[in-house]
Amino acid sequence: MRILIISADRTTVSGHPQNIGDAFLTDALSRALRHADNDVVIADFGSAVRVGSEETRMRVSGVKGLASLIRGVDAVVLGGGTLLQDDQPTRPFAGLPRLCLSAGLIARASGKRFVIFGVGVDPVRRRRMRLAIGATLRLARVWVRDSASQARAAALMPGTPGLSGDVSLFDYSPRGADDRASVVRTGVLLALNRREAGALTLGQVEALRQQWGAVHFVSMDQGDDSDGGSLAPEVATALGYAGRSQSWRTVSQTIASADVVIASRMHAMYMGVLTGVPVVAIAGFAKVDAFAADFHVETAATIEEATAKRGRVDGAAVEAAVRDLTAAETRMLAFLGGSR
């Protein structure tokens, strides 16, 4: 079966992903579907060809380009990330709600199976956007990422969608205690959103350095409004942050060698728990709070509070979530008529 994945993953002019988390989860979903004996292509609405991608991507421009791509596949999977949200609240009808509804309508008109799998659903206040997201949900067979998303989706559609977990969990590979012990640890890794990065101070960096020996920063968003771009110049200098774009694999390897991850970026936390690295989540963001509850990591209200914490990882919770995701994938593939 030939399957098209539509996600929020985009390639910047440098050939790197705009958002590390979106690239990470999109590739994980693509690999899982390929391993189930499907031919998979990812729609990329970005500006260039992805550097070093191991998954098949096709650049798409506009609704006509999307329609042409959908007509050439057997099924469409709207997959991963917080796709069901009002991401451009100052515009009447744009962004992700428009993309998702367009994909669903084209798939329906073309006679293609349409699935929404592993997505997050944010609170949506504008009536027009709620109607658009509700219409998209009605066009699809739906599995969402977490229980909070499940409740929000259920309020916009008939019935209750399935629960899958986050598709980045497809990247899980069991590692023994000996493997983890052999990793040379490199200190604390910060993966902060723009707000938290902008508030980071030299004093906080120094406090973390005294505790962990070294402090590193990764920018999970690499677009025009990157997380790293919000760092104060003196803080960026102290962290040795140069602003170079990276692949998700490079970021994942950096996180895997850390002593602890302190993050307000959810998929940096996923990279941490998937490689057995303790995590401290900066609370106060809906999807971060949901992650912390599901995976039992430590939380802190501020970076200041996080400097006193050691982090936590619950391997049993990760393994249980991977089993749930695999079971949901089996049900999705049965619906699509694919393998497994």
mmCIF file of all heavy atoms in Angstrom, residues 93-140:
data_model
loop_
_atom_site.group_PDB
_atom_site.id
_atom_site.type_symbol
_atom_site.label_atom_id
_atom_site.label_comp_id
_atom_site.label_asym_id
_atom_site.label_seq_id
_atom_site.Cartn_x
_atom_site.Cartn_y
_atom_site.Cartn_z
ATOM 1 N N PHE A 93 -8.713 32.148 8.224
ATOM 2 C CA PHE A 93 -8.731 30.702 7.988
ATOM 3 C C PHE A 93 -7.432 30.312 7.301
ATOM 4 O O PHE A 93 -7.290 30.453 6.083
ATOM 5 C CB PHE A 93 -9.925 30.307 7.129
ATOM 6 C CG PHE A 93 -10.051 28.812 6.923
ATOM 7 C CD1 PHE A 93 -10.120 27.954 8.004
ATOM 8 C CD2 PHE A 93 -10.099 28.275 5.651
ATOM 9 C CE1 PHE A 93 -10.226 26.579 7.826
ATOM 10 C CE2 PHE A 93 -10.210 26.903 5.452
ATOM 11 C CZ PHE A 93 -10.278 26.058 6.550
ATOM 12 N N ALA A 94 -6.472 29.853 8.095
ATOM 13 C CA ALA A 94 -5.141 29.565 7.559
ATOM 14 C C ALA A 94 -4.465 28.531 8.442
ATOM 15 O O ALA A 94 -5.043 28.008 9.394
ATOM 16 C CB ALA A 94 -4.309 30.854 7.502
ATOM 17 N N GLY A 95 -3.217 28.224 8.096
ATOM 18 C CA GLY A 95 -2.404 27.365 8.938
ATOM 19 C C GLY A 95 -2.862 25.922 8.960
ATOM 20 O O GLY A 95 -3.400 25.380 7.987
ATOM 21 N N LEU A 96 -2.667 25.280 10.105
ATOM 22 C CA LEU A 96 -2.938 23.850 10.225
ATOM 23 C C LEU A 96 -4.411 23.480 10.046
ATOM 24 O O LEU A 96 -4.705 22.459 9.404
ATOM 25 C CB LEU A 96 -2.412 23.343 11.571
ATOM 26 C CG LEU A 96 -0.884 23.331 11.710
ATOM 27 C CD1 LEU A 96 -0.471 22.945 13.125
ATOM 28 C CD2 LEU A 96 -0.249 22.380 10.696
ATOM 29 N N PRO A 97 -5.377 24.237 10.577
ATOM 30 C CA PRO A 97 -6.777 23.856 10.325
ATOM 31 C C PRO A 97 -7.117 23.804 8.837
ATOM 32 O O PRO A 97 -7.822 22.896 8.378
ATOM 33 C CB PRO A 97 -7.573 24.949 11.051
ATOM 34 C CG PRO A 97 -6.661 25.420 12.133
ATOM 35 C CD PRO A 97 -5.289 25.373 11.523
ATOM 36 N N ARG A 98 -6.606 24.761 8.081
ATOM 37 C CA ARG A 98 -6.860 24.770 6.639
ATOM 38 C C ARG A 98 -6.187 23.579 5.962
ATOM 39 O O ARG A 98 -6.800 22.907 5.112
ATOM 40 C CB ARG A 98 -6.355 26.078 6.036
ATOM 41 C CG ARG A 98 -6.584 26.184 4.536
ATOM 42 C CD ARG A 98 -6.067 27.501 4.009
ATOM 43 N NE ARG A 98 -6.215 27.589 2.561
ATOM 44 C CZ ARG A 98 -5.819 28.624 1.831
ATOM 45 N NH1 ARG A 98 -5.264 29.664 2.424
ATOM 46 N NH2 ARG A 98 -5.977 28.626 0.529
ATOM 47 N N LEU A 99 -4.930 23.302 6.323
ATOM 48 C CA LEU A 99 -4.215 22.171 5.730
ATOM 49 C C LEU A 99 -4.926 20.854 6.024
ATOM 50 O O LEU A 99 -5.151 20.036 5.122
ATOM 51 C CB LEU A 99 -2.786 22.119 6.272
ATOM 52 C CG LEU A 99 -1.991 20.848 5.942
ATOM 53 C CD1 LEU A 99 -1.791 20.704 4.436
ATOM 54 C CD2 LEU A 99 -0.644 20.850 6.670
ATOM 55 N N CYS A 100 -5.284 20.643 7.281
ATOM 56 C CA CYS A 100 -5.884 19.365 7.673
ATOM 57 C C CYS A 100 -7.241 19.151 7.009
ATOM 58 O O CYS A 100 -7.537 18.051 6.510
ATOM 59 C CB CYS A 100 -6.013 19.298 9.191
ATOM 60 S SG CYS A 100 -4.422 19.287 10.060
ATOM 61 N N LEU A 101 -8.066 20.202 6.980
ATOM 62 C CA LEU A 101 -9.376 20.065 6.348
ATOM 63 C C LEU A 101 -9.235 19.864 4.842
ATOM 64 O O LEU A 101 -9.945 19.033 4.245
ATOM 65 C CB LEU A 101 -10.236 21.295 6.645
ATOM 66 C CG LEU A 101 -11.659 21.274 6.065
ATOM 67 C CD1 LEU A 101 -12.423 20.034 6.515
ATOM 68 C CD2 LEU A 101 -12.413 22.544 6.454
ATOM 69 N N SER A 102 -8.312 20.584 4.215
ATOM 70 C CA SER A 102 -8.089 20.415 2.774
ATOM 71 C C SER A 102 -7.665 18.987 2.459
ATOM 72 O O SER A 102 -8.165 18.365 1.509
ATOM 73 C CB SER A 102 -7.018 21.396 2.286
ATOM 74 O OG SER A 102 -7.428 22.733 2.446
ATOM 75 N N ALA A 103 -6.748 18.445 3.264
ATOM 76 C CA ALA A 103 -6.286 17.073 3.039
ATOM 77 C C ALA A 103 -7.434 16.083 3.171
ATOM 78 O O ALA A 103 -7.579 15.155 2.359
ATOM 79 C CB ALA A 103 -5.175 16.733 4.029
ATOM 80 N N GLY A 104 -8.271 16.278 4.187
ATOM 81 C CA GLY A 104 -9.397 15.371 4.384
ATOM 82 C C GLY A 104 -10.407 15.431 3.257
ATOM 83 O O GLY A 104 -10.899 14.393 2.786
ATOM 84 N N LEU A 105 -10.718 16.635 2.802
ATOM 85 C CA LEU A 105 -11.697 16.789 1.719
ATOM 86 C C LEU A 105 -11.168 16.212 0.408
ATOM 87 O O LEU A 105 -11.905 15.553 -0.339
ATOM 88 C CB LEU A 105 -12.048 18.265 1.550
ATOM 89 C CG LEU A 105 -12.869 18.890 2.686
ATOM 90 C CD1 LEU A 105 -12.966 20.403 2.503
ATOM 91 C CD2 LEU A 105 -14.263 18.270 2.754
ATOM 92 N N ILE A 106 -9.886 16.447 0.121
ATOM 93 C CA ILE A 106 -9.301 15.911 -1.113
ATOM 94 C C ILE A 106 -9.257 14.386 -1.057
ATOM 95 O O ILE A 106 -9.564 13.700 -2.037
ATOM 96 C CB ILE A 106 -7.893 16.494 -1.346
ATOM 97 C CG1 ILE A 106 -7.969 18.000 -1.597
ATOM 98 C CG2 ILE A 106 -7.215 15.802 -2.531
ATOM 99 C CD1 ILE A 106 -6.624 18.697 -1.537
ATOM 100 N N ALA A 107 -8.872 13.846 0.106
ATOM 101 C CA ALA A 107 -8.835 12.389 0.252
ATOM 102 C C ALA A 107 -10.221 11.788 0.052
ATOM 103 O O ALA A 107 -10.388 10.780 -0.653
ATOM 104 C CB ALA A 107 -8.277 12.013 1.623
ATOM 105 N N ARG A 108 -11.233 12.405 0.656
ATOM 106 C CA ARG A 108 -12.601 11.903 0.510
ATOM 107 C C ARG A 108 -13.056 11.983 -0.950
ATOM 108 O O ARG A 108 -13.629 11.027 -1.492
ATOM 109 C CB ARG A 108 -13.537 12.711 1.409
ATOM 110 C CG ARG A 108 -15.020 12.392 1.243
ATOM 111 C CD ARG A 108 -15.355 10.955 1.639
ATOM 112 N NE ARG A 108 -15.130 10.727 3.050
ATOM 113 C CZ ARG A 108 -16.032 10.966 4.005
ATOM 114 N NH1 ARG A 108 -17.220 11.448 3.685
ATOM 115 N NH2 ARG A 108 -15.757 10.701 5.262
ATOM 116 N N ALA A 109 -12.799 13.121 -1.602
ATOM 117 C CA ALA A 109 -13.215 13.287 -2.999
ATOM 118 C C ALA A 109 -12.482 12.334 -3.934
ATOM 119 O O ALA A 109 -13.015 11.947 -4.981
ATOM 120 C CB ALA A 109 -12.980 14.733 -3.437
ATOM 121 N N SER A 110 -11.259 11.938 -3.541
ATOM 122 C CA SER A 110 -10.449 11.044 -4.377
ATOM 123 C C SER A 110 -10.664 9.575 -4.043
ATOM 124 O O SER A 110 -10.029 8.703 -4.645
ATOM 125 C CB SER A 110 -8.958 11.388 -4.209
ATOM 126 O OG SER A 110 -8.707 12.745 -4.503
ATOM 127 N N GLY A 111 -11.523 9.295 -3.064
ATOM 128 C CA GLY A 111 -11.797 7.911 -2.693
ATOM 129 C C GLY A 111 -10.666 7.243 -1.939
ATOM 130 O O GLY A 111 -10.503 6.020 -2.004
ATOM 131 N N LYS A 112 -9.881 8.020 -1.180
ATOM 132 C CA LYS A 112 -8.748 7.476 -0.430
ATOM 133 C C LYS A 112 -9.110 7.323 1.048
ATOM 134 O O LYS A 112 -9.846 8.134 1.605
ATOM 135 C CB LYS A 112 -7.526 8.396 -0.548
ATOM 136 C CG LYS A 112 -7.200 8.833 -1.967
ATOM 137 C CD LYS A 112 -6.820 7.670 -2.859
ATOM 138 C CE LYS A 112 -6.440 8.165 -4.261
ATOM 139 N NZ LYS A 112 -6.073 7.059 -5.165
ATOM 140 N N ARG A 113 -8.570 6.291 1.675
ATOM 141 C CA ARG A 113 -8.738 6.155 3.115
ATOM 142 C C ARG A 113 -7.998 7.309 3.803
ATOM 143 O O ARG A 113 -6.879 7.653 3.425
ATOM 144 C CB ARG A 113 -8.182 4.817 3.599
ATOM 145 C CG ARG A 113 -8.983 3.601 3.138
ATOM 146 C CD ARG A 113 -10.303 3.509 3.883
ATOM 147 N NE ARG A 113 -11.100 2.376 3.463
ATOM 148 C CZ ARG A 113 -11.154 1.216 4.112
ATOM 149 N NH1 ARG A 113 -10.416 1.025 5.188
ATOM 150 N NH2 ARG A 113 -11.926 0.243 3.673
ATOM 151 N N PHE A 114 -8.612 7.849 4.851
ATOM 152 C CA PHE A 114 -8.049 9.010 5.540
ATOM 153 C C PHE A 114 -8.020 8.720 7.035
ATOM 154 O O PHE A 114 -9.051 8.430 7.642
ATOM 155 C CB PHE A 114 -8.897 10.249 5.247
ATOM 156 C CG PHE A 114 -8.392 11.524 5.876
ATOM 157 C CD1 PHE A 114 -7.077 11.921 5.725
ATOM 158 C CD2 PHE A 114 -9.252 12.336 6.610
ATOM 159 C CE1 PHE A 114 -6.614 13.105 6.292
ATOM 160 C CE2 PHE A 114 -8.807 13.520 7.176
ATOM 161 C CZ PHE A 114 -7.482 13.912 7.018
ATOM 162 N N VAL A 115 -6.814 8.791 7.608
ATOM 163 C CA VAL A 115 -6.613 8.481 9.018
ATOM 164 C C VAL A 115 -5.911 9.651 9.699
ATOM 165 O O VAL A 115 -4.999 10.262 9.129
ATOM 166 C CB VAL A 115 -5.756 7.202 9.176
ATOM 167 C CG1 VAL A 115 -5.193 7.083 10.582
ATOM 168 C CG2 VAL A 115 -6.574 5.970 8.844
ATOM 169 N N ILE A 116 -6.345 9.956 10.905
ATOM 170 C CA ILE A 116 -5.620 10.878 11.781
ATOM 171 C C ILE A 116 -5.025 10.024 12.890
ATOM 172 O O ILE A 116 -5.746 9.324 13.597
ATOM 173 C CB ILE A 116 -6.565 11.953 12.355
ATOM 174 C CG1 ILE A 116 -7.118 12.828 11.226
ATOM 175 C CG2 ILE A 116 -5.847 12.807 13.389
ATOM 176 C CD1 ILE A 116 -8.178 13.820 11.680
ATOM 177 N N PHE A 117 -3.690 10.073 13.032
ATOM 178 C CA PHE A 117 -3.039 9.127 13.938
ATOM 179 C C PHE A 117 -1.975 9.814 14.792
ATOM 180 O O PHE A 117 -1.071 10.471 14.274
ATOM 181 C CB PHE A 117 -2.390 7.996 13.141
ATOM 182 C CG PHE A 117 -1.890 6.859 14.000
ATOM 183 C CD1 PHE A 117 -2.770 5.911 14.495
ATOM 184 C CD2 PHE A 117 -0.549 6.749 14.320
ATOM 185 C CE1 PHE A 117 -2.326 4.864 15.292
ATOM 186 C CE2 PHE A 117 -0.089 5.711 15.115
ATOM 187 C CZ PHE A 117 -0.980 4.764 15.605
ATOM 188 N N GLY A 118 -2.101 9.646 16.109
ATOM 189 C CA GLY A 118 -1.068 10.112 17.031
ATOM 190 C C GLY A 118 -0.968 11.613 17.174
ATOM 191 O O GLY A 118 0.071 12.123 17.599
ATOM 192 N N VAL A 119 -2.029 12.338 16.850
ATOM 193 C CA VAL A 119 -1.947 13.803 16.883
ATOM 194 C C VAL A 119 -2.402 14.346 18.238
ATOM 195 O O VAL A 119 -3.168 13.716 18.958
ATOM 196 C CB VAL A 119 -2.792 14.451 15.765
ATOM 197 C CG1 VAL A 119 -2.367 13.940 14.406
ATOM 198 C CG2 VAL A 119 -4.275 14.223 15.990
ATOM 199 N N GLY A 120 -1.920 15.550 18.538
ATOM 200 C CA GLY A 120 -2.403 16.280 19.694
ATOM 201 C C GLY A 120 -3.497 17.247 19.279
ATOM 202 O O GLY A 120 -3.529 17.726 18.141
ATOM 203 N N VAL A 121 -4.405 17.518 20.202
ATOM 204 C CA VAL A 121 -5.488 18.474 19.976
ATOM 205 C C VAL A 121 -5.393 19.541 21.065
ATOM 206 O O VAL A 121 -5.549 19.241 22.248
ATOM 207 C CB VAL A 121 -6.875 17.798 20.031
ATOM 208 C CG1 VAL A 121 -7.970 18.803 19.677
ATOM 209 C CG2 VAL A 121 -6.930 16.585 19.108
ATOM 210 N N ASP A 122 -5.116 20.762 20.661
ATOM 211 C CA ASP A 122 -5.028 21.866 21.615
ATOM 212 C C ASP A 122 -6.405 22.484 21.857
ATOM 213 O O ASP A 122 -7.310 22.334 21.025
ATOM 214 C CB ASP A 122 -4.084 22.947 21.080
ATOM 215 C CG ASP A 122 -2.654 22.753 21.556
ATOM 216 O OD1 ASP A 122 -2.386 21.772 22.282
ATOM 217 O OD2 ASP A 122 -1.798 23.580 21.190
ATOM 218 N N PRO A 123 -6.574 23.200 22.962
ATOM 219 C CA PRO A 123 -7.814 23.967 23.134
ATOM 220 C C PRO A 123 -7.967 24.982 21.995
ATOM 221 O O PRO A 123 -7.010 25.667 21.637
ATOM 222 C CB PRO A 123 -7.607 24.681 24.477
ATOM 223 C CG PRO A 123 -6.578 23.867 25.191
ATOM 224 C CD PRO A 123 -5.678 23.326 24.126
ATOM 225 N N VAL A 124 -9.155 25.050 21.413
ATOM 226 C CA VAL A 124 -9.427 25.967 20.300
ATOM 227 C C VAL A 124 -10.642 26.809 20.670
ATOM 228 O O VAL A 124 -11.714 26.269 20.955
ATOM 229 C CB VAL A 124 -9.687 25.191 18.988
ATOM 230 C CG1 VAL A 124 -10.034 26.161 17.860
ATOM 231 C CG2 VAL A 124 -8.475 24.348 18.617
ATOM 232 N N ARG A 125 -10.479 28.124 20.646
ATOM 233 C CA ARG A 125 -11.541 29.019 21.102
ATOM 234 C C ARG A 125 -12.374 29.593 19.960
ATOM 235 O O ARG A 125 -13.575 29.796 20.105
ATOM 236 C CB ARG A 125 -10.938 30.150 21.935
ATOM 237 C CG ARG A 125 -10.338 29.647 23.250
ATOM 238 C CD ARG A 125 -9.680 30.756 24.044
ATOM 239 N NE ARG A 125 -9.226 30.266 25.343
ATOM 240 C CZ ARG A 125 -8.087 29.611 25.530
ATOM 241 N NH1 ARG A 125 -7.291 29.373 24.505
ATOM 242 N NH2 ARG A 125 -7.741 29.190 26.732
ATOM 243 N N ARG A 126 -11.749 29.871 18.828
ATOM 244 C CA ARG A 126 -12.495 30.501 17.737
ATOM 245 C C ARG A 126 -13.482 29.512 17.121
ATOM 246 O O ARG A 126 -13.116 28.383 16.778
ATOM 247 C CB ARG A 126 -11.539 31.020 16.662
ATOM 248 C CG ARG A 126 -10.733 32.227 17.098
ATOM 249 C CD ARG A 126 -10.157 32.953 15.898
ATOM 250 N NE ARG A 126 -9.192 32.141 15.165
ATOM 251 C CZ ARG A 126 -8.721 32.462 13.958
ATOM 252 N NH1 ARG A 126 -9.156 33.550 13.341
ATOM 253 N NH2 ARG A 126 -7.826 31.685 13.363
ATOM 254 N N ARG A 127 -14.727 29.938 16.962
ATOM 255 C CA ARG A 127 -15.774 29.052 16.465
ATOM 256 C C ARG A 127 -15.444 28.526 15.069
ATOM 257 O O ARG A 127 -15.649 27.342 14.777
ATOM 258 C CB ARG A 127 -17.114 29.790 16.446
ATOM 259 C CG ARG A 127 -18.293 28.922 16.008
ATOM 260 C CD ARG A 127 -19.612 29.659 16.184
ATOM 261 N NE ARG A 127 -20.732 28.811 15.808
ATOM 262 C CZ ARG A 127 -21.208 28.702 14.573
ATOM 263 N NH1 ARG A 127 -20.646 29.406 13.588
ATOM 264 N NH2 ARG A 127 -22.223 27.906 14.310
ATOM 265 N N ARG A 128 -14.937 29.385 14.203
ATOM 266 C CA ARG A 128 -14.628 28.966 12.835
ATOM 267 C C ARG A 128 -13.594 27.839 12.824
ATOM 268 O O ARG A 128 -13.708 26.872 12.073
ATOM 269 C CB ARG A 128 -14.114 30.162 12.035
ATOM 270 C CG ARG A 128 -13.728 29.829 10.601
ATOM 271 C CD ARG A 128 -13.238 31.061 9.868
ATOM 272 N NE ARG A 128 -14.294 32.060 9.748
ATOM 273 C CZ ARG A 128 -14.119 33.253 9.189
ATOM 274 N NH1 ARG A 128 -12.936 33.587 8.713
ATOM 275 N NH2 ARG A 128 -15.116 34.108 9.109
ATOM 276 N N MET A 129 -12.585 27.959 13.675
ATOM 277 C CA MET A 129 -11.542 26.935 13.717
ATOM 278 C C MET A 129 -12.052 25.646 14.360
ATOM 279 O O MET A 129 -11.667 24.546 13.967
ATOM 280 C CB MET A 129 -10.318 27.459 14.478
ATOM 281 C CG MET A 129 -9.618 28.625 13.804
ATOM 282 S SD MET A 129 -8.984 28.242 12.142
ATOM 283 C CE MET A 129 -10.234 28.998 11.110
ATOM 284 N N ARG A 130 -12.929 25.787 15.344
ATOM 285 C CA ARG A 130 -13.525 24.589 15.946
ATOM 286 C C ARG A 130 -14.359 23.832 14.911
ATOM 287 O O ARG A 130 -14.326 22.598 14.849
ATOM 288 C CB ARG A 130 -14.397 24.977 17.148
ATOM 289 C CG ARG A 130 -13.599 25.431 18.367
ATOM 290 C CD ARG A 130 -14.517 25.876 19.504
ATOM 291 N NE ARG A 130 -15.361 24.782 19.977
ATOM 292 C CZ ARG A 130 -14.986 23.880 20.871
ATOM 293 N NH1 ARG A 130 -13.771 23.930 21.396
ATOM 294 N NH2 ARG A 130 -15.811 22.923 21.259
ATOM 295 N N LEU A 131 -15.086 24.568 14.082
ATOM 296 C CA LEU A 131 -15.879 23.928 13.036
ATOM 297 C C LEU A 131 -14.980 23.230 12.018
ATOM 298 O O LEU A 131 -15.275 22.118 11.560
ATOM 299 C CB LEU A 131 -16.764 24.963 12.342
ATOM 300 C CG LEU A 131 -17.925 25.528 13.173
ATOM 301 C CD1 LEU A 131 -18.594 26.683 12.431
ATOM 302 C CD2 LEU A 131 -18.941 24.432 13.488
ATOM 303 N N ALA A 132 -13.870 23.882 11.650
ATOM 304 C CA ALA A 132 -12.951 23.292 10.670
ATOM 305 C C ALA A 132 -12.313 22.017 11.214
ATOM 306 O O ALA A 132 -12.228 20.994 10.517
ATOM 307 C CB ALA A 132 -11.872 24.305 10.288
ATOM 308 N N ILE A 133 -11.866 22.068 12.460
ATOM 309 C CA ILE A 133 -11.236 20.892 13.059
ATOM 310 C C ILE A 133 -12.268 19.782 13.256
ATOM 311 O O ILE A 133 -11.992 18.600 13.007
ATOM 312 C CB ILE A 133 -10.548 21.275 14.384
ATOM 313 C CG1 ILE A 133 -9.335 22.168 14.092
ATOM 314 C CG2 ILE A 133 -10.123 20.029 15.162
ATOM 315 C CD1 ILE A 133 -8.696 22.776 15.320
ATOM 316 N N GLY A 134 -13.476 20.158 13.666
ATOM 317 C CA GLY A 134 -14.531 19.160 13.804
ATOM 318 C C GLY A 134 -14.859 18.487 12.483
ATOM 319 O O GLY A 134 -15.061 17.266 12.418
ATOM 320 N N ALA A 135 -14.899 19.269 11.401
ATOM 321 C CA ALA A 135 -15.168 18.697 10.078
ATOM 322 C C ALA A 135 -14.054 17.738 9.667
ATOM 323 O O ALA A 135 -14.308 16.675 9.081
ATOM 324 C CB ALA A 135 -15.315 19.815 9.052
ATOM 325 N N THR A 136 -12.809 18.094 9.964
ATOM 326 C CA THR A 136 -11.678 17.210 9.650
ATOM 327 C C THR A 136 -11.798 15.889 10.402
ATOM 328 O O THR A 136 -11.602 14.809 9.827
ATOM 329 C CB THR A 136 -10.350 17.898 10.020
ATOM 330 O OG1 THR A 136 -10.252 19.154 9.344
ATOM 331 C CG2 THR A 136 -9.164 17.033 9.635
ATOM 332 N N LEU A 137 -12.130 15.964 11.674
ATOM 333 C CA LEU A 137 -12.269 14.750 12.486
ATOM 334 C C LEU A 137 -13.375 13.844 11.945
ATOM 335 O O LEU A 137 -13.248 12.611 11.962
ATOM 336 C CB LEU A 137 -12.562 15.131 13.937
ATOM 337 C CG LEU A 137 -11.399 15.773 14.708
ATOM 338 C CD1 LEU A 137 -11.891 16.415 15.994
ATOM 339 C CD2 LEU A 137 -10.322 14.736 15.014
ATOM 340 N N ARG A 138 -14.444 14.437 11.440
ATOM 341 C CA ARG A 138 -15.563 13.642 10.923
ATOM 342 C C ARG A 138 -15.215 12.927 9.617
ATOM 343 O O ARG A 138 -15.876 11.952 9.245
ATOM 344 C CB ARG A 138 -16.784 14.544 10.708
ATOM 345 C CG ARG A 138 -17.466 14.972 12.000
ATOM 346 C CD ARG A 138 -18.573 15.991 11.719
ATOM 347 N NE ARG A 138 -19.405 16.220 12.885
ATOM 348 C CZ ARG A 138 -19.109 17.056 13.862
ATOM 349 N NH1 ARG A 138 -17.967 17.751 13.812
ATOM 350 N NH2 ARG A 138 -19.920 17.204 14.889
ATOM 351 N N LEU A 139 -14.190 13.403 8.929
ATOM 352 C CA LEU A 139 -13.791 12.796 7.662
ATOM 353 C C LEU A 139 -12.871 11.590 7.849
ATOM 354 O O LEU A 139 -12.597 10.871 6.886
ATOM 355 C CB LEU A 139 -13.060 13.835 6.796
ATOM 356 C CG LEU A 139 -13.906 14.972 6.228
ATOM 357 C CD1 LEU A 139 -13.000 16.068 5.677
ATOM 358 C CD2 LEU A 139 -14.836 14.451 5.136
ATOM 359 N N ALA A 140 -12.376 11.382 9.075
ATOM 360 C CA ALA A 140 -11.277 10.440 9.285
ATOM 361 C C ALA A 140 -11.610 9.373 10.310
ATOM 362 O O ALA A 140 -12.538 9.503 11.115
ATOM 363 C CB ALA A 140 -10.036 11.210 9.748
#
